[in-house]
Amino acid sequence: MSRKNRAPKRIILTDTKYKSEQILKLMNSIMYDGKKTIAEKIVYEALDKLQSKSKEEPIKIFNTAINNIKPTIEVRSRRVGGATYQVPVEIKYKRSQALAIRWLIAASKKRKGKIMSDKISFELFDAYQGKGFAIKKKEDTHRMAESNKAFAHFRW
């Protein structure tokens, strides 16, 4: 990692079907070994299943689900005088979005079933309704930050 200056921010394109940057990030996170067409197929099948399950637009369900999963605060370790404290800090937008997508994929992989597109569609629908493993992960993170609110003055 260079110490001179930060790496420039990359321009993220949008996906072809829904023109959404978040869906493309989800595809890139699902992708294994550079096989993007398989990741596209998985995500588009999941969104089609969402549309058949619900009468709403799948992009609207997807955006609402991701917004429900996004955390607003997390804890970070801070070492002060030989002791390590879990200090609650607010999360930037990009990190919260990345965490939401990561938690969505992890929760989908934990689900029972054979096809990944089914797992993702079920997890997205649960997150849309405010339940599921990804929502539980967000609530656990918020609960941890809430319980360590006393150490907020150690924020840097």
Side-chain angles (χ1 to χ4, degrees), residues 15 23-31 39-40 43-44:
D15 74 299
I23 289 179
L24 190 72
K25 287 185 182 216
L26 177 66
M27 283 180 200
N28 289 341
S29 298
I30 289 174
M31 181 171 51
E40 280 180 2
V43 172
Y44 288 147

Side-chain angles (χ1 to χ4, degrees), residues 132-150:
F133 294 119
I135 296 289
K136 186 179 181 313
K137 179 78 171 166
K138 173 195 169 185
E139 290 170 355
D140 290 345
T141 304
H142 280 238
R143 198 174 306 116
M144 183 79 134
E146 188 69 30
S147 66
N148 288 316
K149 197 190 286 186

Side-chain angles (χ1 to χ4, degrees), residues 66-149:
I66 291 292
N67 286 336
N68 287 347
I69 298 171
K70 279 183 192 174
T72 56
I73 195 164
E74 70 177 345
V75 292
R76 298 205 124 169
S77 295
R78 175 93 164 110
R79 191 167 170 89
V80 178
T84 305
Y85 298 104
Q86 297 288 319
V87 180
V89 293
E90 288 187 22
I91 302 178
K92 292 181 181 174
Y93 174 78
K94 280 195 160 194
R95 174 147 172 84
S96 68
Q97 184 179 16
L99 284 173
I101 289 172
R102 193 180 310 156
W103 292 346
L104 174 73
I105 293 171
S108 300
K109 285 181 181 178
K110 282 184 185 175
R111 276 185 176 267
K112 291 186 175 154
K114 293 189 177 181
I115 304 170
M116 187 63 176
S117 60
D118 286 343
K119 295 178 184 182
I120 290 176
S121 67
F122 287 133
E123 191 62 38
L124 278 171
F125 196 70
D126 282 352
Y128 175 70
Q129 293 177 332
K131 52 187 181 182
F133 294 119
I135 296 289
K136 186 179 181 313
K137 179 78 171 166
K138 173 195 169 185
E139 290 170 355
D140 290 345
T141 304
H142 280 238
R143 198 174 306 116
M144 183 79 134
E146 188 69 30
S147 66
N148 288 316
K149 197 190 286 186

